[in-house]
Amino acid sequence: MFDQKTIRFYEKEASGYAAATSVHSMDEPMDRLTKFLPSKALILDLGCGGGRDLANFSRRGFNAIGLDASSELAKIAGGTSGCPVVVGDLLQLPFAEGTFDAVWASASLLHVRRSEIDRALDLVNDILVTGGLFFCSLKVGRGEVRTDDSRFFTYFMPSEWEKHLIRKGFELVEKQLDELTAFDSGDRWMNTIARSVR
């Protein structure tokens, strides 16, 4: 089950978090993903937060569905994007196999424990069509930590993350390491696009 303290943080801070993240553009990584997708592709925004990326996918002409563990963020995301949003657990996805052309996981799977990341990747692969695409952004580093605001984070080194992807039936299409500080936090981020090959 998804970390409950992390969910409580997003329930309590939903409006502030949605406002803070809305000003950070994901246009460049979204361009990288969507160039591989057919028009009207069905995309799951896994951990959709305040709906910033859902709205962007919709503006680009794609069909997008959001899922978030926080009911408060899900409400905001639905209102912001006009897209359907499901309240759900990233480790218990309520979708049928082969539903989506792509899964977009921007800063969401970083809240999953390392011991459960393979399970999460299995679930993502299951709901993708054959050849479907998976975008994921993670913090670069080692270990796991619970921050002062009670959120749980798992860090991955690029080589370790690639091994997880390959082991769980993906092939790496693109990788981008962010050498800049993101969200003024000093964290390094890694963006990957992978294709389901199982």
Side-chain angles (χ1 to χ4, degrees):
M1 180 178 289
F2 198 68
D3 184 73
Q4 294 301 299
K5 288 184 178 179
T6 301
I7 295 174
R8 284 197 289 273
F9 168 86
Y10 287 114
E11 292 282 49
K12 182 180 177 182
E13 304 293 338
S15 59
Y17 177 80
T21 54
S22 69
V23 300
H24 295 283
S25 172
M26 290 295 285
D27 280 344
E28 198 271 342
M30 196 171 284
D31 289 343
R32 288 174 173 268
L33 174 69
T34 56
K35 71 183 181 184
F36 296 111
L37 295 175
S39 61
K40 308 295 184 185
L42 181 59
I43 302 168
L44 174 65
D45 187 346
L46 186 62
C48 63
R52 172 198 64 199
D53 299 339
L54 276 177
N56 200 343
F57 281 126
S58 183
R59 284 194 298 271
R60 292 167 179 246
F62 295 101
N63 297 304
I65 296 173
L67 180 141
D68 204 276
S70 163
S71 59
E72 292 301 315
L73 277 175
K75 289 176 192 173
I76 294 170
T80 297
S81 66
C83 297
V85 178
V86 177
V87 178
D89 192 322
L90 276 68
L91 295 170
Q92 297 176 359
L93 298 181
F95 304 107
E97 289 186 15
T99 299
F100 296 96
D101 298 298
V103 171
W104 172 269
S106 177
S108 56
L109 291 185
L110 48 66
H111 293 307
V112 174
R113 293 181 184 278
R114 180 173 268 95
S115 62
E116 295 183 303
I117 198 67
D118 282 352
R119 178 181 167 199
L121 290 174
D122 277 334
L123 292 170
V124 168
N125 211 338
D126 286 346
I127 62 173
L128 282 169
V129 299
T130 302
L133 293 167
F134 170 47
F135 169 87
C136 188
S137 65
L138 297 165
K139 292 186 178 186
V140 176
R142 301 181 189 279
E144 300 172 319
V145 66
R146 190 174 296 282
T147 52
D148 291 342
D149 60 19
S150 296
R151 287 182 294 172
F152 182 87
F153 288 91
T154 300
Y155 297 83
F156 289 94
M157 296 302 290
S159 59
E160 179 191 8
W161 179 242
E162 289 172 38
K163 288 176 182 176
H164 280 285
L165 289 172
I166 292 166
R167 185 165 65 243
K168 299 312 308 178
F170 292 95
E171 65 176 10
L172 191 66
V173 176
E174 286 193 5
K175 175 178 70 177
Q176 182 184 32
L177 290 175
D178 183 4
E179 299 295 344
L180 304 174
T181 56
F183 305 107
D184 300 319
S185 64
D187 291 314
R188 288 185 68 211
W189 290 78
M190 165 177 54
N191 296 334
T192 57
I193 298 173
R195 189 185 308 277
S196 172
V197 292
R198 74 175 187 195

